[in-house]
Each structure stands twice: as structure tokens, then as C-alpha cells.
Amino acid sequence: MSSKIKLMSHLVAGFPSDEIAFTAARALVQGGADILEVQLPFSDPSADGPSIQNACTKVLQRNYKTRDGLNFIKKLHETFPQTKIYLMSYASLVYTPGIEAFCKEAKKAGVDGMIIPDLPFDYDEGLTRYCNQNMMINIPVAAPSMSKERLSSLAHAGFPYIYAALRTGITGSDTKIDEATLKFLESVKEGGSKIYGGFGISKGEQSKALSSYVDAVVAGSVFVRIIEKYQNDKEALFDKLREKAEEISGKNKV
């Protein structure tokens, strides 16, 4: 048996309904997801491609609130206690109620870590401190567009994990894993942080190419597209998501 690749799978809370999103989570966990990255729907998700933007818009049209997203996360945590849950959102949703208060509520819901792409690691409004106070981790985002100096500062800032966006732009389209990608990953982890690598991961060969450079491979839009396509057939949705998660994680491969 080849070794399984650790997988972080991305879900939009409440898309297209809490019930279907929960079915999707169950399929992803069964397919080998070690971490669920749950996104709170946001009106202007600047780092996300069309699939995730569309999912956010549809959920928000139902008047879905932050509290609904946290309740969804709480149910996931209670159902899959062995699966890590990271909350992904944008600064506005976290900053509005107060970052300290938000972190307390996130922890109560069962969140293990926070990924807030538009809060810079060195100007995070206290996010890292409040995460630490609540036994969570803040996972900053590194991008290839960063200057060499800034990337080095992030790599040596002492974060246990860093999310490495494998290319600039938005999520959704395929990412080529080339020499430049691997060089970027080496730079991100030169300070000793473990790396989560994602942005445009949709195939098993991509995750295999990344596996020796990252602690976990991150996949998102590929799963959101499957949910969109099969949302009216829960059985097919479950099977397709599980199969894709198995492909990317290498679960059950001989």
C-alpha cells in the first residue's frame, strides 16, 4: 500500500443547504479528509474563484448568518470529533463582533484553527494572540507574489502551520506543480513551520507531486463543483465526493 496523503478539504458552510453540506462533509471524511476547512459565506470572497463565490452568494441569499455557520461547525465537530476543523473566513466577519469574542465563539463550536487570508501575519489585529488564548492556531497565508524578504519574515515568525497558496490569483483553475512551485514551498518552510499547500488542486497526481513538500494538501473548488452538480441527488453526491477525496488523498491506493 502506498502511504496516504493528508488532505484538508474545503466546504462552504450551508451550501447549498446545511443538510447537503453535512452529507458532503461525511463523504469527504470517509474519503480520507483529515481536516475540514469550513468557509463562512462572505459577500466578496476576494481569493476565491467562481465556484466558491457562487456558493457563497447562494447561501447568503437564504439570509445565512455567522451564527448559522458556527452551528454547522459545531454539528461537524460533534459528529467527527477526530477530524480537525479549521474556520476560513475574511477579516470583516471576524473583526465586526470583535476578534477576541469571535475566537471564543469559534472555539466553543469546535474550531481548531483559523485561516483569514486578508489579515496579514504581522498586522493581524490580535488574531494570533486570541487564537492562542483559546487553544486554537492562526494559520497565515503565504503567496508566491510576496517579496523574498516578506516571505522570509513569515517563514521565521514561529507559526506552527502556514497555508501556502501555490499560485497567485483566485482558486478554482488547475495549478501546475513545477520547479518554481517546489522552490516556493521550500522557502515557506525554511523557518520550521509545517505547510498546507493548496489552490487549484483537483487531481491525485497533483497531490502526489506535493506530498513530500507539505504536511497536507488542500482541495476546495473541485469539491464545491461536485456539490453544485449533484446537489439534487444525495447518493451520487456522496459517492462522487468520496471518490474524489480518495483520489486526492491516495486512500485505498495499492
Side-chain angles (χ1 to χ4, degrees):
M1 292 284 276
S2 61
S3 60
K4 182 191 167 300
I5 299 162
K6 193 183 285 186
L7 171 64
M8 183 198 302
S9 58
H10 182 103
L11 273 176
V12 175
F15 178 70
S17 68
D18 276 5
E19 181 189 2
I20 294 172
F22 183 80
T23 298
R26 196 161 47 84
L28 292 169
V29 170
Q30 196 172 117
D34 305 275
I35 304 163
L36 293 174
E37 179 193 12
V38 183
Q39 177 168 348
L40 297 183
F42 187 61
S43 56
D44 186 25
S46 53
D48 299 308
S51 298
I52 293 175
Q53 287 184 18
N54 177 59
C56 286
T57 298
K58 289 188 173 178
V59 177
L60 291 172
Q61 285 171 349
R62 303 199 332 257
N63 201 32
Y64 203 81
K65 304 294 187 188
T66 296
R67 172 50 54 194
D68 299 315
L70 290 174
N71 287 339
F72 174 70
I73 288 172
K74 187 172 188 289
K75 183 180 178 184
L76 291 180
H77 174 64
E78 290 169 348
T79 308
F80 310 111
Q82 304 308 314
T83 302
K84 281 187 178 177
I85 298 178
Y86 292 155
L87 185 155
M88 183 262 164
S89 186
Y90 289 90
S92 176
L93 289 185
V94 179
Y95 187 82
T96 300
I99 292 179
E100 183 176 12
F102 188 96
C103 285
K104 284 180 181 175
E105 290 302 308
K107 184 60 181 179
K108 282 183 194 172
V111 171
D112 296 290
M114 305 272 281
I115 302 170
I116 314 295
D118 55 345
L119 269 181
F121 74 96
D122 46 356
Y123 294 97
D124 70 2
E125 303 292 343
L127 179 64
T128 300
R129 181 169 77 255
Y130 295 130
C131 280
N132 290 342
Q133 287 178 6
N134 288 281
M135 306 295 287
M136 298 187 297
I137 56 172
N138 177 29
I139 305 163
V141 178
S145 56
M146 282 179 161
S147 69
K148 189 178 291 187
E149 295 75 21
R150 186 162 177 76
L151 188 59
S152 180
S153 293
L154 172 54
H156 292 90
F159 289 97
Y161 291 90
I162 297 173
Y163 185 126
L166 300 177
R167 58 175 168 74
T168 56
I170 57 175
T171 61
S173 51
D174 270 356
T175 294
K176 185 181 178 186
I177 311 301
D178 56 17
E179 200 59 42
T181 307
L182 302 181
K183 189 176 179 183
F184 166 64
L185 289 171
E186 291 288 4
S187 297
V188 179
K189 66 180 182 178
E190 69 178 12
S193 301
K194 292 183 178 179
I195 306 302
Y196 296 133
F199 250 53
I201 301 302
S202 62
K203 301 183 182 73
E205 52 260 38
Q206 289 172 304
S207 58
K208 194 172 181 183
L210 285 173
S211 61
S212 60
Y213 293 85
V214 301
D215 188 66
V217 170
V218 188
S221 292
V222 62
F223 297 132
V224 175
R225 287 194 292 267
I226 291 171
I227 294 168
E228 173 77 33
K229 184 175 181 180
Y230 295 100
Q231 60 184 293
N232 296 317
D233 185 344
K234 199 185 286 188
E235 192 172 318
L237 178 143
F238 184 93
D239 289 344
K240 296 291 184 182
L241 282 174
R242 188 194 62 221
E243 287 167 10
K244 180 53 74 173
E246 286 177 349
E247 177 195 334
I248 295 173
S249 70
K251 185 180 179 185
N252 301 331
K253 294 286 183 189
V254 177

